[in-house]
Amino acid sequence: MPRISGHRLTLLIVAVLGLLLLIFKNQLPSFDIQKVLESVSGSLGAWTYLLVGGLAFLETGAFVGLIAPGEFTVMLGGAVAANGDISLPLIVGVAWFCAWAGDTVSFMVGQRLGRSFLEKNGPRVGVTHERLEHVDTYFDRHGGKTILIGRFIGLVRALAPFIAGSSEMRYREFLPYSILGTGLWATGLTLAGYFFSRSLDKIATYVGKGLLVFGITVAVVVGLVLLYRFLREPANRKKLGKAMDDNRLLRPLVVLGRRFRPQAEFVGRRLTPGGPLGLEVTSLLAAAAVGLYVLGAYWIVVSGNPGPTPGDATAMDIAESIRTGWLTGVAKVITAMGSTWVLAPLVAISAAVLARRRRWPDLYVLLIGVAIISIATPLIKNAVDRPRPAGGLVSASMASFPSGHASHSVIWAWLGVTIAFQLRPGLVWRTVAVSAGVVISALIGLSRVYLGVHYMSDVSAGWGLGAGAFAGTAAVYLVFIHFRQNVGPDVRSPTGQDRL
């Protein structure tokens, strides 16, 4: 009797269970998911945060996703928020943070246990040393994309962080893909549950089908990529062309392909990136996503209740408890570093230096980022129209949310990054430049809370706006220049690099 392999047996069991479910589904107990939702909302309340966060963490942190994918639980959190029992921005943040934490734990377990475990026990199930070498090579080249895309495919989501850790992928390379992937996953599913709370059973079905279609699409894309790599080799193209030329039905395609080959090569060269977008773009998108989430979450919160949040009240109490005459004088000097009188000359001098050194990408990002912050800050202030705290120690105009000083203070941090990675080489100088920029930005924002002219939520939203403006602009510009093949020297740095 022929032996059935493990994966075929698994597929057979799944097929049988699916057939039995289809035949006997009418005999299964039915329930009204809306009533269940109302019951959960009334009984759990704030405990929904723990439920959603716990399962979002355990899905990858403890491989629970292999048994029960967590999409429905996250959508349930959004639906409970729609009923008014919990905060929508907070449940998004909880799901996002816990999903990222689960990825991190799974990665660390894979890093500490996975490699030795796989080396020792892998050969028993056919995972040889040579296959592990192939996995290492794959994650060196495609690990980030697997983490990002795999977040939306149940089985891959549960295993990818562990495999990434066991394949010796560095955490600093893993981190931005995990942050971006978990953020998109948590936000998308929570909003789906929020907006379709009255038909959660239907949206759960649609999401399940959508993720299935997404998985199939990814498989097709991977197949096309493999086909492209196969055809990229002249010997393979010659072999395939000969086989098609010998076939009467396929011969017209060969003739047509030869006829339009020059035009196709021209289009292909224009559409092929000059290099992989890779870690830089993903890191920038992750930073922009976190910044814009902070801005959006506080925007929603203060629009419904313009008074101080619990965190604002705590920050105000701390500021009042440490106020002294000399510290107030220092705070006034620091807050001036976020004013137009200081930042405008700083930006002008920085732009002149970048232009002189022909650092055009950095110059464009700096100017566009500053323009976005300068336009968006007053627009959001007028839209939210949040009153300032009473009893400020310095004069301030316009509405309180978001803090203009905080949003513009990110210019210091961005210039620190620019100096670190473009103008001064060396690890020590880079660390000093980045740290100095971030510390100045942080102190400017905190000085506004200390002086009593902004709430902490105003400052946090301002930082989020600034980070989103600069990181988002840099990511878009990186994509743009990478999709321009044969970029002229007018947009490249003197060393021929496009790095921001």
Side-chain angles (χ1 to χ4, degrees):
M1 181 176 180
R3 183 180 178 184
I4 302 177
S5 62
H7 71 279
R8 290 183 179 178
L9 179 61
T10 302
L11 291 176
L12 179 61
I13 293 174
V14 171
V16 171
L17 291 176
L19 181 61
L20 292 174
L21 180 63
L22 183 64
I23 295 174
F24 297 105
K25 65 178 182 179
N26 292 330
Q27 281 70 43
L28 295 175
S30 60
F31 58 91
D32 187 342
I33 196 167
Q34 184 58 39
K35 292 182 179 179
V36 173
L37 173 60
E38 293 174 355
S39 175
V40 169
S41 300
S43 59
L44 285 180
W47 288 97
T48 307
Y49 296 119
L50 181 61
L51 173 66
V52 174
L55 291 181
F57 172 83
L58 293 173
E59 188 175 20
T60 52
F63 306 105
V64 171
L66 292 172
I67 304 172
E71 289 94 349
F72 183 80
T73 304
V74 178
M75 285 190 293
L76 178 64
V80 174
N83 284 355
D85 295 282
I86 59 175
S87 167
L88 175 63
L90 185 55
I91 193 63
V92 171
V94 168
W96 186 352
F97 176 81
C98 292
W100 163 77
D103 277 7
T104 298
V105 169
S106 180
F107 179 90
M108 296 300 179
V109 171
Q111 196 174 51
R112 296 291 182 89
L113 171 67
R115 184 68 186 192
S116 59
F117 179 82
L118 291 175
E119 289 277 5
K120 180 179 179 179
N121 300 288
R124 301 176 183 177
V125 291
V127 182
T128 62
H129 177 76
E130 291 74 16
R131 290 187 177 182
L132 286 177
E133 292 291 337
H134 286 305
V135 171
D136 291 341
T137 302
Y138 175 83
F139 264 89
D140 283 341
R141 299 177 59 185
H142 308 292
K145 289 176 284 187
T146 303
I147 298 300
L148 180 59
I149 298 175
R151 170 48 62 173
F152 300 90
I153 305 173
L155 181 63
V156 179
R157 175 170 65 248
L159 293 176
F162 178 86
I163 297 175
S166 64
S167 67
E168 300 180 356
M169 183 181 187
R170 290 178 294 183
Y171 183 71
R172 66 182 182 183
E173 297 174 352
F174 169 85
L175 179 61
Y177 291 99
S178 176
I179 291 176
L180 188 59
T182 53
L184 293 173
W185 178 79
T187 304
L189 292 176
T190 304
L191 291 178
Y194 182 84
F195 289 114
F196 297 96
S197 60
R198 296 300 171 184
S199 54
L200 193 60
D201 51 347
K202 294 181 180 179
I203 192 60
T205 302
Y206 294 151
V207 168
K209 292 180 179 179
L211 292 178
L212 176 61
V213 172
F214 178 77
I216 295 173
T217 303
V218 169
V220 172
V221 170
V222 170
L224 292 175
V225 170
L226 294 177
L227 178 62
Y228 167 76
R229 291 178 178 172
F230 175 81
L231 295 177
R232 190 167 54 185
E233 299 294 331
N236 293 336
R237 291 199 304 269
K238 184 176 180 180
K239 183 178 179 180
L240 181 62
K242 185 178 184 304
M244 294 178 65
D245 206 16
D246 294 338
N247 189 300
R248 294 177 56 186
L249 296 177
L250 300 178
R251 191 176 302 151
L253 294 178
V254 177
V255 175
L256 187 65
R258 289 169 179 167
R259 167 65 181 81
F260 291 100
R261 179 178 177 180
Q263 293 85 347
E265 290 180 345
F266 175 82
V267 174
R269 287 193 299 270
R270 295 303 179 270
L271 296 179
T272 302
L277 301 181
L279 187 62
E280 287 179 323
V281 171
T282 307
S283 300
L284 291 167
L285 289 176
V290 173
L292 294 178
Y293 164 74
V294 172
L295 172 64
Y298 276 121
W299 190 339
I300 294 173
V301 170
V302 303
S303 294
N305 182 12
T309 66
D312 293 337
T314 301
M316 292 170 66
D317 292 340
I318 294 174
E320 291 178 1
S321 67
I322 64 174
R323 276 181 187 153
T324 59
W326 70 269
L327 191 54
T328 300
V330 172
K332 289 180 179 180
V333 173
I334 293 174
T335 203
M337 297 177 68
S339 66
T340 303
W341 301 106
V342 174
L343 291 178
L346 177 66
V347 171
I349 295 172
S350 302
V353 172
L354 292 172
R356 183 178 180 181
R357 292 175 175 262
R358 301 182 66 82
R359 302 283 184 174
W360 305 118
D362 302 286
L363 174 62
Y364 298 151
V365 171
L366 174 63
L367 296 180
I368 294 172
V370 170
I372 292 174
I373 294 172
S374 300
I375 295 172
T377 300
L379 290 177
I380 298 175
K381 282 179 176 289
N382 292 331
V384 178
D385 196 24
R386 188 188 197 186
R388 288 183 181 270
L393 302 182
V394 294
S395 61
S397 59
M398 299 187 68
S400 184
F401 182 92
S403 168
H405 276 68
S407 61
H408 286 88
S409 73
V410 181
I411 294 173
W412 288 98
W414 188 256
L415 287 176
V417 173
T418 302
I419 293 171
F421 290 95
Q422 294 295 347
L423 303 181
R424 286 303 297 257
L427 179 60
V428 175
W429 278 106
R430 288 181 176 182
T431 303
V432 170
V434 173
S435 300
V438 172
V439 168
I440 293 173
S441 299
L443 290 177
I444 291 173
L446 294 175
S447 71
R448 306 301 288 175
V449 178
Y450 175 88
L451 295 172
V453 290
H454 280 295
Y455 296 113
M456 191 65 217
S457 54
D458 302 330
V459 170
S460 299
W463 286 331
L465 172 58
F470 280 116
T473 300
V476 171
Y477 192 80
L478 264 182
V479 172
F480 172 74
I481 61 177
H482 272 282
F483 273 87
R484 291 182 59 192
Q485 188 181 12
N486 299 323
V487 185
D490 56 318
V491 299
R492 286 182 177 264
S493 67
T495 60
Q497 295 179 345
D498 291 327
R499 294 168 61 91
L500 291 171

